[in-house]
Amino acid sequence: AAMRSRAEVDATLQTAKLNPAELLPAVQCLSFGPQAGGGECCLLQLEPGLCAELEAGRSLVIRGEKDEHAVLCSKDKTYDMKIADTSNMLLFVPGCKTPEELNADGASCNIIYSQIAGFSKNYWELRRCRPKLKKLRKLLMEDPYEGPDSRKDQTSTFSKYTTEDLLSLIQASEEEILHQLEVIDACKIEGYWRILDFDYEMKLLNHVTQLIDSESWPFSKVPLRVCLEELGSLEPREMIEHILLSYGRKYVDDGEIFFEMREDKICRAIAQMLLQNAVKFNLSEFEEVWQQSVPEGMTTRLDQLQGLALVDKSSRPETIFLLKVEDLPEDNQERFNSLFGIRQKWTEVDITPYIQDLCGEKQTVGALLTKYARSSMLNGVKVYNSRRPIS
Amino acid sequence: SGGTGALAQWVLVELQGEVEPRQSGDLAGNLLGDLHYTREGVPVLIVGHHILYGKVVQLEKPFAVLVKQGGAPQPSPAGPHGRYAVTALIKTKLLFKTRPKPIITHVPKK
């Protein structure tokens, strides 16, 4: 289309009965650019902080495979994406000037030609969400590391995952992924992230606790150097250090590295080792065996098993069974369905460890219970059950 | 991803209803209209036979303009799967919400 001339613009103003004296001298003639209808551009509404991140040169990434709802990840946060429809037309115009910019612009030209780069009737809205990290554990559990003696690794056909692989497969920000790798005690072996096979992990832990016992070290001061010297012939040094990092808190004293062993975590791991061998246990028998199985000097307590095991107080005798929160569904509704399938009525104390991880920025345990459960009184105690009829 | 240089700042123009080309065919290359501002800074857009009055709005939540990278266009209505680059930021919009005033042209007598 031919470019409009100033004379044509003025003629239009006259026909429109607009007084040029009341207008700024410059006019912007808007036309649709050659790519305008292509639909290759889309709009993304930015949550606070994201604009600044982009301007600082940082990236945003959209993650999700075809069967997943897409999420947007900044360096450290994850957002659900949702299309918002407006009934209006949104045109995006590069180089379109605001009144302030026209006034500030000293140029004397009174006609500017601006092309509309694209248009849309909708845009993507963002809502901060929990990172979808369950898949991370699932991927790493495809091929747990069983130690250097395991012949499995050489012949293994399973995928092993580097950091880059995980970034492209997991719907979470990089920081959230790296933090979760720490939480699940993953370690890097030959450039790949691995989770230890539980039996191998217990074998390593046992080496360390036996050494602590034979050396009569206090649990709060376990020297790294001596561990590596004494155990280095039994297991790879990296694995010894890894188990100390997983089950202890590292610190430096007088130039030497020590670990303060985490009693609760050790007791919890040993409980898991005992519980995984049967469907359920007589509670008092279990408590006895458990206390005898932990390193001497450590004390077992049932509250160490939150999110790992559940006590059935209604059975005679009372029993305990393994129930790991990480084995439960990630989606809120599915999680609650699963929990109510296991037990019809829950007290808040019992259910909290199994829904704590669902709490986001704005949702508390109380809010979740209000939304997904119905409360009633049972023997003077408040209990929660499903909102849906149990089929 | 963000660009290495400073991101361009674009402006959003929001119009009610649809914009249709005068002739058949798509919009590319066609004129939309003349955008003026009054001395008070009120945007005035003349589109065809209509005058639209609007206002300049600083967006509380800016927009990023994403451009799909490479590959065949995917039909996915479900999700924005694919690679995108941020081409520009939009912090300002011209909102034209008032009903357009028609321009009555004087039909010259023959």
Side-chain angles (χ1 to χ4, degrees):
Chain A
M3 309 260 265
R4 278 168 74 69
S5 68
R6 186 69 224 191
E8 286 171 310
V9 169
D10 291 333
T12 302
L13 282 177
Q14 203 175 35
T15 314
K17 300 201 183 54
L18 289 170
N19 183 355
E22 287 170 7
L23 302 174
L24 295 182
V27 64
Q28 297 180 81
C29 295
L30 305 180
S31 61
F32 289 91
Q35 305 280 310
E40 274 146 26
C41 278
C42 60
L43 290 176
L44 174 71
Q45 191 178 53
L46 300 172
E47 285 298 299
L50 290 179
C51 192
E53 280 204 43
L54 286 172
E55 286 176 305
R58 288 202 279 276
S59 301
L60 299 181
V61 184
I62 296 178
R63 298 194 161 116
E65 296 182 54
K66 290 207 163 48
D67 60 337
E68 294 168 324
H69 285 299
V71 299
L72 182 109
C73 301
S74 66
K75 191 164 178 299
D76 63 348
K77 298 185 181 72
T78 305
Y79 302 84
D80 275 322
M81 298 181 73
K82 201 173 82 128
I83 286 255
D85 270 309
T86 74
S87 51
N88 294 342
M89 277 284 276
L90 306 170
L91 311 169
F92 1 120
V93 193
C96 177
K97 301 215 183 290
T98 60
E100 290 75 28
E101 286 164 341
L102 284 180
N103 282 328
D105 193 5
S108 57
C109 73
N110 58 12
I111 187 161
I112 301 169
Y113 301 96
S114 289
Q115 286 203 334
I116 298 164
F119 57 88
S120 180
K121 281 189 85 72
N122 52 41
Y123 57 89
W124 289 101
E125 253 182 354
L126 296 175
R127 205 184 43 158
R128 178 93 192 268
C129 66
R130 278 195 328 266
K132 304 192 196 311
L133 294 168
K134 192 174 160 75
K135 190 175 171 184
L136 178 61
R137 176 183 285 268
K138 177 171 158 266
L139 290 178
L140 296 184
M141 293 286 270
E142 283 173 359
D143 191 12
Y145 182 66
E146 290 178 5
D149 299 332
S150 160
R151 258 173 292 150
K152 219 177 60 144
D153 260 31
Q154 280 110 35
T155 59
S156 174
T157 54
F158 287 112
S159 304
K160 295 214 265 275
Y161 303 95
T162 62
T163 307
E164 270 60 48
D165 293 330
L166 294 176
L167 284 174
S168 70
L169 290 167
I170 306 295
Q171 293 187 291
S173 71
E174 181 170 355
E175 267 185 37
E176 288 161 332
I177 292 174
L178 292 175
H179 177 254
Q180 185 67 4
L181 285 167
E182 214 181 289
V183 164
I184 63 178
D185 294 326
C187 58
K188 247 191 184 168
I189 299 173
E190 288 170 12
Y192 297 102
W193 285 102
R194 308 295 295 276
I195 248 181
L196 299 188
D197 169 77
F198 187 67
D199 290 344
Y200 181 59
E201 187 172 331
M202 288 301 101
K203 185 173 162 213
L204 289 167
L205 182 62
N206 193 45
H207 283 319
V208 168
T209 53
Q210 286 209 337
L211 184 63
I212 292 173
D213 188 56
S214 67
E215 297 282 332
S216 301
W217 289 326
F219 292 122
S220 58
K221 201 164 184 179
V222 175
L224 173 63
R225 188 182 45 84
V226 185
C227 284
L228 293 175
E229 275 168 16
E230 296 298 317
L231 301 173
S233 55
L234 300 171
E235 297 292 345
R237 294 166 69 89
E238 306 79 54
M239 289 296 104
I240 296 165
E241 189 164 353
H242 176 72
I243 205 74
L244 285 166
L245 281 166
S246 303
Y247 285 89
R249 267 182 282 268
K250 187 173 171 177
Y251 66 95
V252 177
D253 185 27
D254 210 4
E256 263 211 66
I257 298 176
F258 294 92
F259 289 88
E260 179 191 353
M261 301 315 288
R262 294 159 66 180
E263 181 171 337
D264 289 349
K265 192 165 176 182
I266 292 172
C267 289
R268 188 184 168 98
I270 290 169
Q272 179 177 334
M273 191 176 69
L274 296 170
L275 289 168
Q276 65 181 15
N277 293 323
V279 172
K280 61 179 180 226
F281 283 86
N282 174 306
L283 178 64
S284 51
E285 279 175 22
F286 166 78
E287 285 184 295
E288 206 180 305
V289 174
W290 184 29
Q291 179 61 65
Q292 285 167 10
S293 305
V294 300
E296 200 169 319
M298 289 196 177
T299 310
T300 57
R301 290 185 328 269
L302 280 176
D303 67 72
Q304 291 163 342
L305 307 183
Q306 288 190 355
L308 177 72
L310 199 56
V311 172
D312 186 354
K313 296 194 188 77
S314 66
S315 61
R316 293 282 168 269
E318 289 182 334
T319 56
I320 184 168
F321 60 97
L322 195 67
L323 179 62
K324 292 196 278 177
V325 62
E326 53 263 30
D327 290 342
L328 299 173
E330 197 171 27
D331 169 78
N332 287 6
Q333 186 63 65
E334 284 177 37
R335 171 78 60 94
F336 275 91
N337 293 351
S338 169
L339 288 172
F340 289 126
I342 290 163
R343 176 183 282 185
Q344 255 194 27
K345 295 185 198 294
W346 290 76
T347 61
E348 186 166 341
V349 165
D350 279 352
I351 205 172
T352 296
Y354 292 100
I355 57 176
Q356 189 81 64
D357 61 311
L358 302 179
C359 295
E361 276 193 325
K362 289 169 190 154
Q363 271 191 321
T364 59
V365 164
L368 285 169
L369 288 171
T370 304
K371 185 168 176 187
Y372 294 97
R374 196 198 308 271
S375 71
S376 57
M377 296 300 277
L378 181 68
N379 301 330
V381 177
K382 191 172 189 183
V383 290
Y384 294 89
N385 53 294
S386 175
R387 277 182 178 276
R388 301 164 164 210
I390 308 285
S391 51
Chain B
S1 59
T4 42
L7 279 173
Q9 304 273 349
W10 292 2
V11 169
L12 200 68
V13 173
E14 185 169 343
L15 303 175
Q16 277 190 328
E18 299 276 350
V19 178
E20 273 166 25
R22 243 192 224 108
Q23 294 112 337
S24 58
D26 72 335
L27 288 167
N30 280 355
L31 199 61
L32 174 71
D34 298 339
L35 174 65
H36 299 268
Y37 293 107
T38 66
R39 292 201 176 270
E40 286 84 46
V42 175
V44 182
L45 185 64
I46 305 179
V47 180
H49 293 288
H50 300 292
I51 309 176
L52 304 169
Y53 289 89
K55 62 177 183 172
V56 179
V57 176
Q58 296 307 319
L59 295 172
E60 234 180 76
K61 290 190 184 176
F63 284 98
V65 182
L66 304 182
V67 174
K68 220 172 214 172
Q69 307 271 272
Q74 284 152 14
S76 53
H81 297 93
R83 299 189 66 84
Y84 290 82
V86 176
T87 228
L89 291 177
I90 299 178
K91 295 184 181 173
T92 308
K93 80 173 171 186
L94 305 182
L95 175 62
F96 293 94
K97 258 173 94 171
T98 55
R99 299 175 82 223
K101 283 173 64 169
I103 298 171
I104 320 278
T105 48
H106 178 73
V107 178
K109 291 190 179 95
K110 279 240 164 61

